[in-house]
Amino acid sequence: MNTISRTAGLALLLSTAALTASVSALAQEASQDPNIIVEGEALPEMAEMVKGPEIKGIITARKGDKMKVTAADGTSSVIFLNDATTVKASTGLFGSKKLGMTNLLNGLPVTVKTMQSGTTLLASQITFKNGDLKTANMIRNGTAQGFAEQTAATEGLRSRMGDIDNYNVKATTNVYFDTGKTALSPQARAELCQAASTAESMDNALLLVVGYTDSVGPEEYNQTLSEKRAASVINYLQQQCRWKPYRVLTPTGMAESDPAADNYTEEGKAQNRRVAVNVLVSKAIDGF
């Protein structure tokens, strides 16, 4: 199971009193967290900064002129953005295109070159794969689609929580499939219920399920196969792991897009035959 505090379903809110208490408690914790930059902190002059570390991870939060990037080991870095920050997406072996900061979406895996002054980091360049951007956009659009299909009770969340930019990607669990198959292995079943249990411990967690394939077979076949794999995971989460349907967004299939590994080896193909279960939590609840 690959679990990351990484980035890209909605839940019913707690009562107003409980929600207020949760936000208050989390805000108090955040004030004690050295990784959280308080509002109003000034960014040092560029001339005072030196070359900082290169940071690789997933965007797990965006707020104003800063973002949080969480690495595979769970460590997080809050990084400032400014007009000098360049954003690029790789489009091939050597190609890239320059993009705007609006493309820095939650759930997007990035590599960040930084400038540093003390403990403050400023992004000088942010790069990511074009395929990863498509997936992050899919998560964003999937959230909007999920809102539209929920019950009247869930509709009440819409005005409070907005779109995916208001969510932190708290964890991602990948489960794997045999070639051409949609059946869940015993290991996958155990990992799905563990993921559901972990998400259940988070206030108002939402699950987004995305299916993938390797590159074997025609595109149309793989699209259908990826959708069936996602549906298989959703069914198990609801029927066996007791995850409530209104806390799951519509499952999505991405076929062979956004491979986790190359498709030139059997090991790589095995990593690509997967379904990703993403846990999202509202920033209002999460404190950032």
Side-chain angles (χ1 to χ4, degrees), residues 212-226:
Y212 300 91
T213 69
D214 58 26
S215 61
V216 177
E219 183 175 348
E220 184 176 349
Y221 171 82
N222 283 337
Q223 179 60 41
T224 300
L225 179 60
S226 66

Side-chain angles (χ1 to χ4, degrees), residues 59 61-64 66-67 81 101 104 106 165 283 288:
I59 297 175
R62 275 289 313 277
K63 187 175 183 180
K66 52 187 175 289
M67 67 180 180
L81 310 168
M101 291 189 193
L104 299 177
N106 284 349
D165 287 336
K283 289 180 182 177
F288 181 88

Side-chain angles (χ1 to χ4, degrees), residues 213-257:
T213 69
D214 58 26
S215 61
V216 177
E219 183 175 348
E220 184 176 349
Y221 171 82
N222 283 337
Q223 179 60 41
T224 300
L225 179 60
S226 66
E227 292 170 358
K228 288 182 176 180
R229 284 174 174 167
S232 176
V233 166
I234 289 285
N235 289 339
Y236 193 83
L237 284 168
Q238 294 177 358
Q239 295 171 11
Q240 302 300 323
C241 305
R242 305 303 180 189
W243 190 258
K244 294 179 176 60
Y246 61 78
R247 300 180 69 180
V248 182
L249 292 176
T250 303
T252 304
M254 292 290 286
E256 58 193 75
S257 299

Side-chain angles (χ1 to χ4, degrees), residues 27-54:
Q28 184 176 6
E29 291 175 10
S31 68
Q32 300 169 354
D33 185 344
N35 289 325
I36 301 299
I37 298 178
V38 297
E39 292 294 335
E41 180 172 342
L43 181 65
E45 294 292 331
M46 291 282 291
E48 300 174 7
M49 306 188 84
V50 298
K51 184 177 180 181
E54 182 176 273

Side-chain angles (χ1 to χ4, degrees), residues 130-204:
N130 197 50
D132 289 340
L133 177 60
K134 291 180 180 179
T135 300
N137 269 306
M138 177 276 303
I139 295 174
R140 181 191 184 110
N141 294 334
T143 302
Q145 179 183 7
F147 273 132
E149 296 178 356
Q150 297 305 326
T151 64
T154 307
E155 279 292 320
L157 300 179
R158 192 171 191 173
S159 61
R160 292 198 187 197
M161 291 191 171
D163 63 18
I164 190 66
D165 287 336
N166 291 327
Y167 294 84
N168 291 339
V169 180
K170 299 299 292 184
T172 298
T173 296
N174 290 313
V175 294
Y176 301 93
F177 294 80
D178 291 335
T179 302
K181 303 297 183 182
T182 62
L184 294 167
S185 68
Q187 180 179 353
R189 295 189 188 104
E191 290 176 348
L192 286 175
C193 284
Q194 178 59 49
S197 177
T198 299
E200 187 65 43
S201 67
M202 303 178 192
D203 286 342
N204 302 293

Side-chain angles (χ1 to χ4, degrees), residues 262-278:
D262 68 64
N263 277 298
Y264 297 103
T265 66
E266 291 306 312
E267 292 79 7
K269 290 176 183 177
Q271 292 182 56
N272 293 332
R273 296 190 299 267
R274 72 197 191 280
V275 167
V277 179
N278 303 282

